[in-house]
Amino acid sequence: MIVTGAGGQLGQALLEAYPGARGLTRADWDVSFPPPPGLAADLVLHAAAWTDVDGAEDDPQGAAAVNVGGVQHAAELGAPLVVWSSDYVFDGQKRTPYVESDGPSPLGAYGRTKLHGEAAAGERAWVVRSSWLFGWTSKNFLLTMLRLGAERDEVAVVSDQRGSPTYVGHLAEATKAVTELPYGIYHVAAAGDCTWADFAEAIFEEAGLDCRVRRIAAAEYGARAPRPAYSVLRSERGAPELPHWRDGLRECLQRLATL
Ligand SMILES: NC(=O)c1ccc[n+]([C@@H]2O[C@H](COP(=O)([O-])OP(=O)(O)OC[C@H]3O[C@@H](n4cnc5c(N)ncnc54)[C@H](OP(=O)(O)O)[C@@H]3O)[C@@H](O)[C@H]2O)c1
């Protein structure tokens, strides 16, 4: 079994959930190129991806080389494949959770590459759409808020985007149940939903940080890439249900405390 993107936050969690797996970092295999000769596996957990949402607007072809080409190259290994996709394949117009049969309509370059990557996975693949990932490594909203919350009295956080922050430990464990299901697309995200501002407040509360959240609109924040205003994911296809995002937050903070 192979885990690509082994240096990333989901890759790290997958290596813990699958102790026998072989982790491959970008140094082992740059997935925008075909697989190294002789690489074989009975299952490929493909967590390598271009995840810089704003950066994808500046270099959409670079993002596609990883998120579309990389998935195609992983599929070329010929083994059953798990790939992860994103809530950002949706445009966020709905106000009830997105299910697998809802039509995708990405707002930005990152979402477009993830959608094309889904198609590149081929027929022997589980495509797991998840959202707002956080874990104990790599770059994520939780780690950024913990840093800012320790440095400042107040942070400005977007309050008009709603999703389900998902703990990579829960997502990695749930992968085992996904691979018991038929191949196809599955929505697997934390239970509950919130805005980024709600999530920041919960982080400060749970971590005991004395920092205020100033609620701002996405337009005021001014990120380069447009993001969906609402991207809560739920499954109508029997995908595993994850614990509530707040439980994921507590587990991740406990984990961070041990590092
Ligand atoms: N993060 C989220 O909020 C989120 C939400 C929904 C879905 N997802 C999806 O979940 C999956 C895992 O994301 P994540 O949050 O774990 O991302 P991450 O922490 O950014 O990890 C991605 C990993 O992929 C590696 N990588 C990038 N380009 C590569 C290349 N050309 N060849 C080989 N490795 C490469 C990165 O290595 P370097 O460190 O060397 O760049 C990094 O270790 C991705 O498919 C992502 O699209 C993420």
Side-chain angles (χ1 to χ4, degrees):
M1 188 185 305
I2 287 173
V3 174
T4 68
Q9 56 179 347
L10 178 61
Q12 289 286 305
L14 287 167
L15 288 175
E16 289 197 1
Y18 294 85
R22 177 180 171 200
L24 299 176
T25 65
R26 186 201 290 262
D28 301 312
W29 174 24
D30 179 336
V31 299
S32 56
F33 294 94
L39 186 64
D42 54 354
L43 176 67
V44 178
L45 305 177
H46 182 60
W50 176 303
T51 55
D52 178 355
V53 175
D54 292 314
E57 296 296 317
D58 300 330
D59 185 6
Q61 287 172 324
V66 184
N67 290 351
V68 187
V71 173
Q72 191 179 329
H73 294 143
E76 280 170 18
L77 288 167
L81 174 67
V82 184
V83 300
W84 280 269
S85 186
S86 167
D87 52 331
Y88 286 5
V89 300
F90 295 112
D91 62 15
Q93 294 295 309
K94 278 184 79 179
R95 288 296 174 271
T96 54
Y98 282 92
V99 292
E100 289 90 345
S101 60
D102 282 317
S105 176
L107 297 174
Y110 168 78
R112 284 193 292 276
T113 65
K114 294 303 291 183
L115 183 59
H116 292 142
E118 293 181 356
E123 290 176 17
R124 294 177 72 209
W126 298 272
V127 174
V128 179
R129 291 189 185 135
S130 194
S131 64
W132 297 22
L133 297 192
F134 64 93
W136 60 92
T137 59
S138 197
K139 268 178 69 176
N140 63 56
F141 183 84
L142 166 64
L143 297 180
T144 302
M145 286 302 127
L146 290 175
R147 179 172 52 79
L148 294 179
E151 289 169 4
R152 301 185 189 174
D153 297 330
E154 183 179 275
V155 289
V157 186
V158 169
S159 64
D160 55 0
Q161 290 168 0
R162 180 167 287 276
S164 301
T166 301
Y167 176 46
V168 291
H170 292 159
L171 182 59
E173 274 301 325
T175 304
K176 295 172 186 169
V178 171
T179 55
E180 299 292 317
L181 298 168
Y183 295 125
I185 294 177
Y186 295 96
H187 287 185
V188 185
D193 57 74
C194 63
T195 67
W196 290 111
D198 299 333
F199 189 30
E201 276 175 356
I203 291 168
F204 296 150
E205 198 179 305
E206 296 287 346
L209 288 167
D210 189 13
C211 182
R212 278 185 313 279
V213 173
R214 185 163 66 84
R215 292 173 170 258
I216 61 168
E220 184 183 342
Y221 185 74
R224 288 204 295 295
R227 289 162 168 78
Y230 180 94
S231 60
V232 178
L233 302 178
R234 293 291 170 255
S235 181
E236 60 180 4
R237 301 193 64 208
E241 291 180 11
L242 300 191
H244 196 275
W245 62 266
R246 191 133 188 162
D247 294 325
L249 170 59
R250 290 194 192 104
E251 270 189 51
C252 193
L253 288 173
Q254 279 164 12
R255 174 70 195 252
L256 281 165
T258 66
L259 299 180

